[in-house]
Amino acid sequence: MTSETPWLSAQEEHLWRGWTRLNAELTARLQRAMQADAQLSGSDYEVLVHLTDSPEGRVRVSDLASLLQWERSRVSHHLTRMERRGLVERSECVEDGRGAFIGVTKAGRAAIERAAPGHVAAVRRLVIDALDAEDVAALSTVFDRMLARLDEVADTKVASTA
Amino acid sequence: MTSETPWLSAQEEHLWRGWTRLNAELTARLQRAMQADAQLSGSDYEVLVHLTDSPEGRVRVSDLASLLQWERSRVSHHLTRMERRGLVERSECVEDGRGAFIGVTKAGRAAIERAAPGHVAAVRRLVIDALDAEDVAALSTVFDRMLARLDEVADTKVASTA
């Protein structure tokens, strides 16, 4: 940190607080809807999305931790609970010593397929129904530009405080 | 779920995927910046924000779980780790049997104060610098409207799939 850090203007702070509150609200409501509809927590769903996205339906635990951006202990505790419920299964990887895989089970695949229609319906109710076509276009433009900028700028560069 | 669930249009799906990817990227980068600057994880920071927001610097563990919208086991594991690092402390509440309090320690308060300037600088670099004044105004308008709508509509109503 340098002492010259510019604080946010009132408008900027209003936007950022609104943004974070909206994300927290949307995340919480989408997760509650999914729990009620399909008995999956938001964390369960995130894990299952990453496993079913991989062609073999399994990824290394260490890679999953990076994908989820969770702390390692949280990954480990959560996978243990999901394994007890039969949604995922661990397999050791003897050949290369690079650590265990975690894979989606048949029950895990069924669970995420059962969750999908309800999740889409909740996204529509909570997000899309609040926007008109112009809003959708305007938000897409801004978000795409922000994503392109994040992809361009190396993480260390953007995250650095030098 | 009814069979009439309308799926998202290509534009709507593009927006929602961009939105969730942007949020995940921003969250991860802001958390890495905070870890590097102030040795606090995103989870640590969220807990400390809620504790320092309360007038007495402590809240019931059960209330904290609601504020964070985390699963109970995650709250419990995480508080144990923060307690070991001296950032928070538990106190039993003997008089009413409604469960333990968790409070911020002097070290916890110092940690979040140390983190604040770097966090604001990272928000500026990653978010605000990507936007012009018109974007800030336009996003604020949409987010405020969405938040007002969420506040209006009861959770059960919005989350219901009936």
Side-chain angles (χ1 to χ4, degrees):
Chain A
M1 260 346 299
T2 70
S3 55
E4 299 127 40
T5 303
W7 293 82
L8 301 186
S9 73
Q11 289 78 9
E12 290 162 353
E13 185 164 348
H14 179 87
L15 169 64
W16 183 240
R17 279 178 180 266
W19 196 329
T20 52
R21 188 159 89 79
L22 180 59
N23 284 339
E25 275 289 327
L26 286 177
T27 302
R29 297 216 197 186
L30 289 171
Q31 291 187 353
R32 281 199 294 270
M34 184 171 297
Q35 186 73 56
D37 281 355
Q39 293 73 57
L40 288 180
S41 72
S43 306
D44 298 335
Y45 184 74
E46 278 190 74
V47 168
L48 292 174
V49 165
H50 288 301
L51 297 184
T52 53
D53 270 357
S54 94
E56 296 183 327
R58 61 173 204 163
V59 297
R60 280 180 202 281
V61 176
S62 51
D63 294 339
L64 182 65
S66 310
L67 287 167
L68 292 165
Q69 306 265 4
W70 292 356
E71 289 154 62
R72 279 305 288 272
S73 61
R74 181 180 168 201
V75 176
S76 165
H77 285 300
H78 198 78
L79 292 180
T80 300
R81 288 194 297 275
M82 288 181 74
E83 204 174 6
R84 273 193 217 122
R85 292 159 61 204
L87 299 170
V88 299
E89 61 195 353
R90 280 172 218 258
S91 53
E92 290 308 318
C93 184
V94 287
E95 71 262 32
D96 65 3
R98 286 173 53 216
F101 279 93
I102 193 89
V104 60
T105 61
K106 208 170 158 182
R109 227 176 257 279
I112 195 171
E113 281 164 12
R114 205 167 51 236
H119 184 60
V120 172
V123 169
R124 174 166 294 287
R125 273 194 313 277
L126 294 169
V127 180
I128 304 299
D129 286 353
L131 304 171
D132 61 26
E134 268 179 53
D135 294 330
V136 170
L139 289 178
S140 279
T141 303
V142 175
F143 292 165
D144 287 351
R145 201 178 64 225
M146 291 183 75
L147 280 166
R149 181 171 170 274
L150 286 177
D151 286 344
E152 249 169 46
V153 186
D155 186 58
T156 46
K157 199 79 177 267
V158 178
S160 154
T161 56
Chain B
M1 259 349 298
T2 70
S3 56
E4 299 128 40
T5 302
W7 293 83
L8 301 187
S9 74
Q11 289 79 8
E12 289 162 353
E13 185 163 349
H14 179 89
L15 169 65
W16 182 240
R17 281 180 178 265
W19 195 330
T20 52
R21 188 160 88 81
L22 181 59
N23 284 339
E25 276 288 326
L26 286 178
T27 302
R29 298 218 195 184
L30 289 171
Q31 290 187 353
R32 282 200 292 271
M34 184 170 297
Q35 188 72 56
D37 281 354
Q39 292 74 56
L40 288 180
S41 72
S43 306
D44 298 335
Y45 184 74
E46 278 190 74
V47 168
L48 291 174
V49 164
H50 288 301
L51 297 184
T52 54
D53 270 357
S54 93
E56 295 182 327
R58 62 173 205 163
V59 298
R60 279 182 204 280
V61 175
S62 51
D63 294 339
L64 182 65
S66 310
L67 286 167
L68 291 166
Q69 307 264 6
W70 293 356
E71 288 153 64
R72 278 306 287 273
S73 61
R74 181 179 169 203
V75 176
S76 165
H77 286 301
H78 198 78
L79 291 181
T80 300
R81 289 195 296 275
M82 289 182 74
E83 203 174 7
R84 275 192 215 122
R85 292 159 61 206
L87 299 170
V88 300
E89 62 195 354
R90 280 172 219 261
S91 53
E92 290 307 320
C93 184
V94 287
E95 70 262 33
D96 65 4
R98 286 174 51 217
F101 279 94
I102 192 87
V104 59
T105 61
K106 210 170 156 182
R109 225 177 258 280
I112 196 171
E113 282 166 12
R114 205 165 52 236
H119 184 61
V120 172
V123 169
R124 174 168 291 289
R125 273 193 313 278
L126 294 169
V127 180
I128 304 298
D129 286 352
L131 305 170
D132 62 26
E134 268 179 53
D135 294 329
V136 171
L139 289 178
S140 279
T141 303
V142 175
F143 292 166
D144 287 352
R145 200 180 64 226
M146 292 183 74
L147 280 166
R149 182 172 170 275
L150 286 177
D151 286 343
E152 247 168 49
V153 185
D155 186 58
T156 45
K157 198 83 176 264
V158 178
S160 155
T161 56

